[in-house]
Amino acid sequence: MLFDFIAFINELRDNNEKKETIEKYEKLVGPIEGGVKDQVWFVEYLTNFKPTKYLVPEELEKDFDRDLLQQLVLGSFSSDYELKVEKDKQSELYIAVKSWDQSVVKKVSELWSFQIQRLYEIYIEEQINLQVLKAEDENEKNAIEQERLMRQKRRQAVLDTMGIKEEAEKAKVEQSKSLDELMWKL
């Protein structure tokens, strides 16, 4: 696998600028043990984002957990996403990140392995930081929970409407066939 969660946590522990966050997390939330999917922020929040299929770089198909990446993206406060069905009926996951006056949009299927690795790191560090904020401050906790709820509702709305376009296309084809049949009968 491309991403090693515990190795990443150990890197953060060894980084003078980031070790304080890990220390706070373990003091306020608990020890970081197991994998990503064992963490409280994953269990309580990211599991609410049911993953869907999307294109990934062919050469990396077996190298990373595409469902986990999608859950991290969907749950992130720092980026936006769009799941688009392309011409070939395959879904593309677009990730949009804004930084000051610059905005970057990328398709996951066009990313390199080091870019996917970096996404895991960014999104996991974000979730760790949010969990620390939740534990430190009641106002932050409420704001984070509201944002999380909004993101979950947005995802559900996307899932609820995803099939509407395809259904409309099918109905249009059926209607056209029925009209053709009627015309032949006249």
Side-chain angles (χ1 to χ4, degrees):
M1 274 289 155
L2 189 67
F3 182 75
D4 182 338
F5 176 68
I6 294 301
F8 175 61
I9 295 302
N10 288 333
E11 279 179 36
L12 293 176
R13 279 191 179 103
D14 294 340
N15 182 324
N16 286 333
E17 293 172 14
K18 300 193 177 194
K19 71 179 181 181
E20 183 183 339
T21 302
I22 298 301
E23 289 167 357
K24 274 186 187 180
Y25 182 94
E26 293 189 313
K27 179 183 172 198
L28 298 169
V29 180
I32 299 176
E33 300 171 332
V36 174
K37 294 180 180 180
D38 299 315
Q39 306 311 304
V40 66
W41 44 265
F42 185 87
V43 172
E44 290 178 358
Y45 176 53
L46 294 181
T47 56
N48 295 307
F49 296 99
K50 299 299 178 224
T52 56
K53 284 192 108 17
Y54 64 97
L55 289 172
V56 295
E58 213 173 291
E59 64 278 3
L60 301 176
E61 207 161 339
K62 292 181 174 46
D63 292 345
F64 72 97
D65 184 338
R66 70 180 342 144
D67 289 349
L68 174 60
L69 179 61
Q70 186 179 30
Q71 289 170 304
L72 288 165
V73 169
L74 301 181
S76 173
F77 293 8
S78 63
S79 62
D80 285 316
Y81 70 91
E82 187 171 354
L83 207 54
K84 277 189 190 174
V85 178
E86 301 289 323
K87 296 176 196 113
D88 57 358
K89 303 286 184 202
Q90 299 266 5
S91 290
E92 285 278 6
L93 178 59
Y94 289 82
I95 301 173
V97 180
K98 277 188 201 164
S99 179
W100 301 104
D101 61 341
Q102 196 174 11
S103 182
V104 178
V105 178
K106 296 279 187 179
K107 289 183 193 179
V108 171
S109 66
E110 295 175 349
L111 297 177
W112 298 90
S113 60
F114 74 90
Q115 292 170 307
I116 292 171
Q117 172 86 10
R118 187 67 185 122
L119 287 175
Y120 277 113
E121 293 171 357
I122 290 167
Y123 291 132
I124 287 171
E125 194 172 347
E126 174 187 13
Q127 292 303 322
I128 289 170
N129 282 314
L130 288 171
Q131 204 65 40
V132 168
L133 285 173
K134 274 183 66 174
E136 282 182 324
D137 183 296
E138 194 64 31
N139 289 333
E140 289 288 347
K141 178 182 176 182
N142 293 334
I144 290 166
E145 287 176 357
Q146 286 301 311
E147 179 70 18
R148 284 180 170 183
L149 188 59
M150 186 195 74
R151 289 185 173 274
Q152 290 169 6
K153 286 180 179 178
R154 175 180 176 224
R155 174 64 176 158
Q156 192 56 53
V158 167
L159 289 175
D160 291 346
T161 58
M162 258 174 79
I164 290 174
K165 187 175 181 182
E166 289 81 23
E167 291 298 319
E169 287 296 319
K170 285 180 189 174
K172 193 174 177 182
V173 168
E174 289 299 317
Q175 186 179 31
S176 178
K177 284 180 184 176
S178 296
L179 274 172
D180 286 348
E181 289 172 11
L182 278 172
M183 291 301 282
W184 280 105
K185 288 179 182 177
L186 292 175

